[in-house]
Amino acid sequence: LNIPYRILDPDDAKVSEAATWAIRTASENSCPTALLARKGVLARKEKAGFDAASQEYPLSREEAIRTILASAPEDAIYVASTGRITRELHAIREELGQSHDHDFLNVGAMGHTLSIAAGIAAARSDRLIICLDGDGAAIMHLGSLAVTANQPLPNLLHIVLNNGAHESVGGQPTAGQAANMTQIACAAGYATPPSPPNTAAQLANAVETMITKQRPAFIEIRIQKGMRSDSPKLMIDTLSAKMEFTGMVSVQDQSRVLR
């Protein structure tokens, strides 16, 4: 593509030198530049667990997911956003000895989880579909909130686990906790709680209430940053998982969907 590039070296000083070169070259020539990083060059230790005492909100993401699983019908289908939400949902299922058959782990497609969940909800009106989303991912494709909220999908519950950070990719802050995502969702057309839940009991009540609404529903739960340092890695064959999930949710009545 004729883009000037440098291959990064693990040496920090050389990385800094390459970055300086890239900025200078782009500025002087008004052109894109590239820095290529081999696997491991930018590696850091796993972002450590959280210090609950220093957190503003009482629930961790894991605790929120556990509460949702306990509050929803057992046959609910979950579509989980890329990153730590997928990782923790999978780990919780393993710990509880539960099947993964009802879960679609949307690995590597940030921002698309809601659209996938809406498609499944349209195809399987007989099942409750729960979209477990992150604040960064939801903000990335805000347009899908307005589109989805105005579809005839009474079986769709969109839950945003809002920690105000792109935690899975480095912890950069988002606008998730600066914006009022519940008001945004309400204005878009979702059914929402009067105020966002804050505790496990409030979240459980919100889930039980929102799934009775006759239109797409939305819950925002603000949570702590961080994850347990001993939380297992997500080790799955994504293609096999997709094929198994697709077979499980395959539409029985194709003519209804075509109409």
Side-chain angles (χ1 to χ4, degrees):
L1 297 177
N2 295 318
I3 297 174
Y5 70 92
R6 293 278 178 89
I7 298 175
L8 296 184
D9 187 278
D11 184 281
D12 287 348
K14 292 183 179 179
V15 168
S16 179
E17 178 185 329
T20 301
W21 165 85
I23 294 169
R24 184 182 66 250
T25 302
S27 177
E28 291 175 352
N29 299 294
S30 189
C31 71
T33 57
L35 298 176
L36 306 181
R38 292 190 174 93
K39 183 176 178 63
V41 169
L42 301 179
R44 301 173 64 181
K45 292 183 178 180
E46 173 64 20
K47 294 179 286 292
F50 52 83
D51 175 7
S54 68
Q55 299 284 4
E56 180 179 356
Y57 302 105
L59 292 181
S60 68
R61 181 179 42 252
E62 181 178 348
E63 291 167 336
I65 294 173
R66 288 181 184 276
T67 300
I68 294 163
L69 287 172
S71 305
E74 289 186 2
D75 66 348
I77 294 172
Y78 291 83
V79 183
S81 185
T82 187
R84 293 190 165 186
I85 294 176
T86 59
R87 181 172 164 183
E88 290 182 337
L89 174 61
H90 188 273
I92 292 168
R93 292 288 202 195
E94 288 284 301
E95 181 183 324
L96 297 177
Q98 297 177 351
S99 169
H100 302 287
D101 291 348
H102 295 173
D103 304 337
F104 182 80
L105 306 182
N106 183 33
V107 177
M110 181 176 170
H112 294 286
T113 308
L114 176 58
S115 297
I116 294 171
I120 297 170
R124 291 301 302 264
S125 59
D126 60 318
R127 301 285 287 276
L128 172 65
I129 312 300
I130 297 179
C131 174
L132 295 179
D133 215 351
D135 53 299
I139 291 170
M140 178 180 284
H141 284 184
L142 269 181
S144 61
L145 268 74
V147 172
T148 304
N150 291 282
Q151 298 300 313
L153 300 173
N155 59 323
L156 177 65
L157 175 58
H158 184 192
I159 301 178
V160 171
L161 301 163
N162 185 355
N163 65 357
H166 290 292
E167 192 173 355
S168 297
V169 293
Q172 305 91 334
T174 72
Q177 293 184 357
N180 190 321
M181 297 195 69
T182 298
Q183 287 187 3
I184 291 171
C186 182
Y190 276 108
T192 64
S195 59
N198 196 40
T199 65
Q202 292 171 355
L203 177 58
N205 181 66
V207 171
E208 293 167 3
T209 301
M210 288 297 105
I211 62 177
T212 66
K213 303 298 182 181
Q214 294 304 303
R215 67 181 198 268
F218 177 96
I219 299 171
E220 172 198 3
I221 173 72
R222 294 195 174 192
I223 58 172
Q224 301 169 359
K225 298 181 181 70
M227 125 185 281
R228 286 190 296 116
S229 57
D230 61 347
S231 183
K233 301 283 189 181
L234 180 62
M235 303 293 290
I236 62 170
D237 181 332
T238 53
L239 180 58
S240 296
K242 187 203 82 166
M243 297 304 294
E244 292 172 6
F245 179 83
T246 302
M248 190 275 295
V249 300
S250 59
V251 178
Q252 304 293 325
D253 182 3
Q254 295 286 350
S255 62
R256 175 177 61 82
V257 177
L258 293 175
R259 288 197 300 269

